[in-house]
Amino acid sequence: MMKAFHINDTTAYHEVFSALSPVEIKVLSLYCSGLHRSKISLLLNLSISTVNSHLNNARKKYELGNYSELRALFHFLINKHLINSCLCHCRKQLKLS
C-alpha cells in the first residue's frame, strides 16, 4: 500500500479540482492514497458519515458513477497537472538558456 499523504495547503489543488472544497480535497487525497474512511475520519477529526458525504459530493460534482472512477480521475488529473507543470518549467529553462 502507498504511504498516505496529507495536504495542508489546498491552494494548488484548487487549480486541478476547482469544483471541490478544501475539505473535500483533503478527504479525497487521503482516500485515493489508500486510507480507509475510518482512518480518514480519525486523521481529520470528522465523523465517518461526514467523510462519506465529502466523497459522495466529490463523486457527484464530477458526475461519476462510483468511487473507483473518482480515484481514477484523481490520479489522472494529478499526473496531468504534474506533467504540465514539468513541461512549463522545462520551456522556461530553455528560453533562459
Side-chain angles (χ1 to χ4, degrees), residues 46-60:
L46 301 171
S47 70
I48 294 175
S49 170
T50 301
V51 169
N52 289 336
S53 292
H54 286 307
L55 290 172
N56 198 41
N57 289 342
R59 184 185 59 78
K60 287 180 179 177

Side-chain angles (χ1 to χ4, degrees), residues 9-82:
D9 181 11
T10 61
T11 308
Y13 285 82
H14 280 288
E15 291 177 32
V16 180
F17 302 103
S18 59
L20 302 182
S21 72
V23 178
E24 288 169 340
I25 291 171
K26 287 181 182 183
V27 169
L28 182 60
S29 69
L30 291 169
Y31 178 72
C32 290
S33 68
L35 289 183
H36 292 282
R37 296 165 196 226
S38 57
K39 182 70 172 175
I40 296 168
S41 71
L42 291 172
L43 283 172
L44 298 181
N45 199 27
L46 301 171
S47 70
I48 294 175
S49 170
T50 301
V51 169
N52 289 336
S53 292
H54 286 307
L55 290 172
N56 198 41
N57 289 342
R59 184 185 59 78
K60 287 180 179 177
K61 286 179 181 180
Y62 288 103
E63 300 177 2
L64 301 170
N66 57 54
Y67 295 109
S68 295
E69 291 176 0
L70 183 60
R71 278 187 178 171
L73 178 69
F74 177 85
H75 291 294
F76 173 78
L77 291 177
I78 290 294
N79 287 330
K80 180 180 173 188
H81 182 73
L82 290 173

